[in-house]
Amino acid sequence: MAPQVVDRLCRTRDARAARRLAEQEGRALWQAAVRRVQSTGTVRGSLPRSDDRPLYWARLQVTAALRQWKPRGGITAAEREQVIETFEKASRGMTDISYPAGPRVARVLASGFDPYTLDGGDAGDVPGAAGNNIRHGNPSGATALAIDGTTRVGKDGRRQVVHAYVLPVNYTEFESGWIEDTVGPHMKPGPRALTSSFTISQGREGRFDLEVWNGRYHGVSAGNDGSWPCRPINGVPQLAINNPGCNTQPPARWGNPRVFDLFDPPQWTTASLPFQRMIEGGTGTNLTPPPGAPWTAGQGFPVIRNTSFTQFPRCDSPERVTVNAAPDGGMQPSQPGTPPSEGSCAYAGGGGTYLSNESGYRNTLLRDRLGRDIPAGHIHTPIMQHFEEGNRFAPSDPTFDAWRRVIVAQTAALIGVAAQR
């Protein structure tokens, strides 16, 4: 599909027409990716239908063309960025979200992520191949494609209408307010307001984590685009005091000064998920374990209420303390745990210091700013990158696909359970 978009772009003469084309083709690309993942018949290409990466690669092709495009009428740098942003948002499912009204409707929104850690992996025998890790996918992005536009009836009798979108692994777009601009219009109170909002990413080996605490601190690791707002200095984390690069700052247009200081959001936000129901919901009952999974048929991956976090007990000192850590690195008991200390500064939420944690922070902060009492929180899926022995360089194989499909199925089931009353 990407070559067709590029061909149409080459026949476009100015920025205004290019933005119209970007919106139209971006939506078409997203919808084509959703149809492919949700199809039951044969799909084109050698990759399995469950794969999230074709959408990612196609988007990269189109945005590369948009950066090189030279229309006859000329284009400014600002106009070019507007065209690219329009295409990016549309091709991520951010612009076609709508819900019906009514008390018998559960309006559910969930996010996934692009692939990441693309600079890792084996180099193989090809010169210059190091860092081109085509094997990395993201089960959260695959889940977003699998559930977007779907409906089901929950045990509470409500019809669950589900939409999903995919986030970039870049701080730049986060700081521009892409989450708030996507979720915010539907989070506002009203007859079509969300009844639950989830963020999802790939997390730890062999388990689902329901993250309880989200921290404001961000930027310790680089994003896919190389943005790195709060890199450690000589191995020591920077302090966030008077340091905008280390502080998540939601856009002012989504503030609510009646709730708390618009320009000084809290160090911590808390998930409002129905933890026990999600843990005990039998979300893996009908699943067959993929090769090497640490469970038997009918169990599914364990679901953990993760209350761990790391704080600066004193905001003016780089000393860090991890609270509620699981013993010996094992699975943490599913209990409330100790909250952050009063006056502490965040370092890492349960979801770490990366964009997973930040997506959870921004989503739950938006919930609080808009005064909504709904289920909202972050779900970390198990790691998906499992390949067959001796198959080091193939982009996919049956084992990799089996892990993705099972993780996606249990994630969708978790969302269905959490979306109930």
Side-chain angles (χ1 to χ4, degrees):
M1 185 171 182
Q4 300 173 6
V5 178
V6 173
D7 180 63
R8 294 188 183 102
L9 176 67
C10 291
R11 299 197 298 269
T12 304
R13 300 192 176 189
D14 58 45
R16 181 178 297 180
R19 285 193 69 178
R20 290 196 297 268
L21 177 70
E23 175 67 29
Q24 175 186 341
E25 296 297 339
R27 285 198 183 198
L29 179 58
W30 171 258
Q31 291 163 0
V34 169
R35 285 196 302 272
R36 186 182 194 277
V37 168
Q38 296 182 14
S39 66
T40 57
T42 303
V43 296
R44 295 176 58 186
S46 59
L47 293 175
R49 69 169 58 87
S50 66
D51 207 315
D52 57 303
R53 295 170 297 175
L55 172 63
Y56 178 67
W57 297 334
R59 188 189 303 113
L60 290 179
Q61 285 183 285
V62 174
T63 53
L66 288 171
R67 294 193 185 283
Q68 300 173 49
W69 173 58
K70 295 180 180 179
R72 292 181 184 178
I75 187 171
T76 66
E79 288 173 333
R80 188 184 301 277
E81 289 305 314
Q82 287 180 337
V83 173
I84 292 171
E85 180 175 323
T86 297
F87 175 78
E88 282 264 359
K89 287 183 173 180
S91 66
R92 294 178 177 280
M94 294 177 170
T95 63
D96 66 348
I97 300 168
S98 63
Y99 295 98
R104 302 300 297 166
V105 178
R107 290 169 285 274
V108 185
L109 185 59
S111 70
F113 269 103
D114 283 344
Y116 65 103
T117 58
L118 303 177
D119 292 334
D122 296 320
D125 301 321
V126 180
N132 185 16
N133 201 340
I134 199 172
R135 290 158 65 90
H136 276 202
N138 198 317
S140 66
T143 298
L145 293 169
I147 65 176
D148 183 58
T150 62
T151 62
R152 58 178 287 178
V153 177
K155 289 186 177 180
D156 59 0
R158 291 188 302 171
R159 180 167 63 100
Q160 297 178 359
V161 178
V162 183
H163 283 287
Y165 61 100
V166 174
L167 290 164
V169 188
N170 301 327
Y171 295 97
T172 308
E173 288 86 346
F174 272 60
E175 291 171 350
S176 296
W178 282 25
I179 287 182
E180 290 83 358
D181 290 343
T182 302
V183 180
H186 309 285
M187 185 74 83
K188 289 180 177 180
R192 290 179 170 81
L194 291 175
T195 59
S196 55
S197 182
F198 309 98
T199 52
I200 311 169
S201 64
Q202 180 173 240
R204 302 170 180 90
E205 182 65 54
R207 59 191 262 196
F208 280 90
D209 280 305
L210 311 179
E211 308 297 355
V212 175
W213 297 101
N214 310 299
R216 187 184 180 193
Y217 196 90
H218 77 169
V220 174
S221 304
N224 281 355
D225 63 352
S227 58
W228 197 348
C230 189
R231 68 177 68 197
I233 300 175
N234 297 323
V236 178
Q238 297 185 49
L239 297 179
I241 298 175
N242 299 321
N243 190 349
C246 298
N247 276 321
T248 297
Q249 181 60 59
R253 59 186 175 274
W254 289 107
N256 184 352
R258 293 177 297 177
V259 178
F260 42 70
D261 187 349
L262 177 61
F263 298 106
D264 188 20
Q267 289 294 309
W268 306 96
T269 64
T270 312
S272 51
L273 299 174
F275 295 103
Q276 210 58 36
R277 187 164 73 232
M278 295 174 75
I279 291 167
E280 299 174 353
T283 53
T285 301
N286 299 318
L287 300 180
T288 301
W295 46 277
T296 58
Q299 292 182 334
F301 291 98
V303 181
I304 306 299
R305 177 177 183 167
N306 182 29
T307 61
S308 67
F309 60 89
T310 302
Q311 63 185 0
F312 296 105
R314 287 181 45 187
C315 298
D316 60 355
S317 169
E319 178 190 3
R320 290 164 288 168
V321 174
T322 298
V323 183
N324 302 324
D328 302 320
M331 292 186 182
Q332 184 186 58
S334 294
Q335 55 192 12
T338 302
S341 303
E342 185 175 354
S344 68
C345 279
Y347 175 69
T353 59
Y354 203 37
L355 288 159
S356 299
N357 168 78
E358 185 164 344
S359 68
Y361 179 88
R362 288 179 180 273
N363 181 49
T364 49
L365 181 64
L366 192 61
R367 172 206 62 197
D368 295 341
R369 285 188 160 179
L370 295 175
R372 300 299 312 286
D373 181 16
I374 62 172
H378 190 81
I379 301 170
H380 257 127
T381 76
I383 291 173
M384 184 182 67
Q385 322 300 352
H386 292 262
F387 285 85
E388 294 173 4
E389 192 68 28
N391 197 3
R392 294 172 60 211
F393 303 112
S396 185
D397 63 29
T399 294
F400 186 51
D401 184 44
W403 276 78
R404 181 195 296 110
R405 286 186 286 105
V406 171
I407 292 171
V408 166
Q410 191 167 354
T411 307
L414 277 169
I415 292 170
V417 169
Q420 299 170 22
R421 283 185 178 138

